[in-house]
Amino acid sequence: MLPVTLLLSIIFGAIGFIVTKDNASYLLSGYNTMTEQERQAVDITAYLRFFRRFHFVLAVSLLAGACLLHLLNANWASQFVALFPLVAYSYFSVKTASFYRAVAKSAWPTNLFVGVLVVASISVLKLSTTAYESNRLVLHQHQLEIAGDYGFSLNRQAVYRQRVVNELPPIAYRANGFSGGDYAKGRFKVKGGKSVFLFVNKTKRPYLLLETAKGDVYYNHDTLNMQTVSDEVGRWLVAKQ
């Protein structure tokens, strides 16, 4: 997570210095669609000073905040990296509108953009209530269910074998799912191209490995003993025979 945060910080910092007074008429959103007369009404020097300072502070704050929070809790750091830029750009949009007020024909584009950022922020907060906790493994009479984000159900006949393992396979990338802080959920590609499903807290060992018709499924839980869960699944599988 920290390498991704470092990359984002470099990008945010670079944005602040890429746009200059000489190229603002080409690169600066909003300003590049104004007529020459409208541009004369904008204090572009003052705006670019704000633009540069905002992106520099965003880059430094994002990296420093993520590093400090990671020392305390990796999940907090992941949530911070997802949420902080959205909140920051909401402020940036409102502040930008104040520089363009003299030539703005309507405030609705700014209001719409800020509204989108607010909705995105709320979505991130909502995701945080379930993404950073373990999925539940539920044994029904004829189905095994991974309940929660990116979960699914399997018929009893589709679960072939199960065992407890101490390591996850080497993950290449996330194909469809969530990976943040300590948690990984959904479908992932391993080195070699094989797909596996993870519903794990990566800091907790061991893991329950289910060999299924859908593919290998790795599961664990924040508080449950995986050997006990494995025994329960084993008895459930025997019952199908």
Side-chain angles (χ1 to χ4, degrees), residues 135-210:
N135 289 52
R136 293 181 300 112
L137 189 152
V138 184
L139 298 175
H140 301 288
Q141 183 175 0
H142 300 295
Q143 286 188 324
L144 180 151
E145 178 187 5
I146 304 290
D149 294 339
Y150 301 99
F152 49 78
S153 295
L154 292 164
N155 292 328
R156 192 193 298 264
Q157 291 74 17
V159 182
Y160 304 142
R161 288 172 292 277
Q162 63 86 30
R163 66 181 186 276
V164 174
V165 297
N166 287 317
E167 300 292 337
L168 295 173
I171 302 300
Y173 60 91
R174 181 182 71 240
N176 178 38
F178 169 83
S179 181
D182 298 334
Y183 294 88
K185 302 180 180 186
R187 183 165 62 90
F188 293 74
K189 288 284 188 178
V190 302
K191 294 178 180 178
K194 179 182 175 182
S195 290
V196 300
F197 293 89
L198 304 181
F199 300 93
V200 300
N201 179 333
K202 293 172 287 187
T203 67
K204 301 286 186 181
R205 291 190 176 124
Y207 311 98
L208 176 67
L209 168 58
L210 302 171

Side-chain angles (χ1 to χ4, degrees), residues 73-84 124-125 128-129 132:
N73 187 300
N75 299 323
W76 295 351
S78 180
Q79 291 171 286
F80 174 77
V81 170
L83 188 60
F84 182 64
V124 170
L125 288 173
S128 300
T129 62
Y132 296 95

Side-chain angles (χ1 to χ4, degrees), residues 21 42-53 99:
K21 192 172 182 178
V42 177
D43 187 348
I44 191 63
T45 301
Y47 178 70
L48 288 177
R49 189 161 51 244
F50 159 73
F51 185 90
R52 188 174 297 112
R53 184 172 60 249
F99 281 93

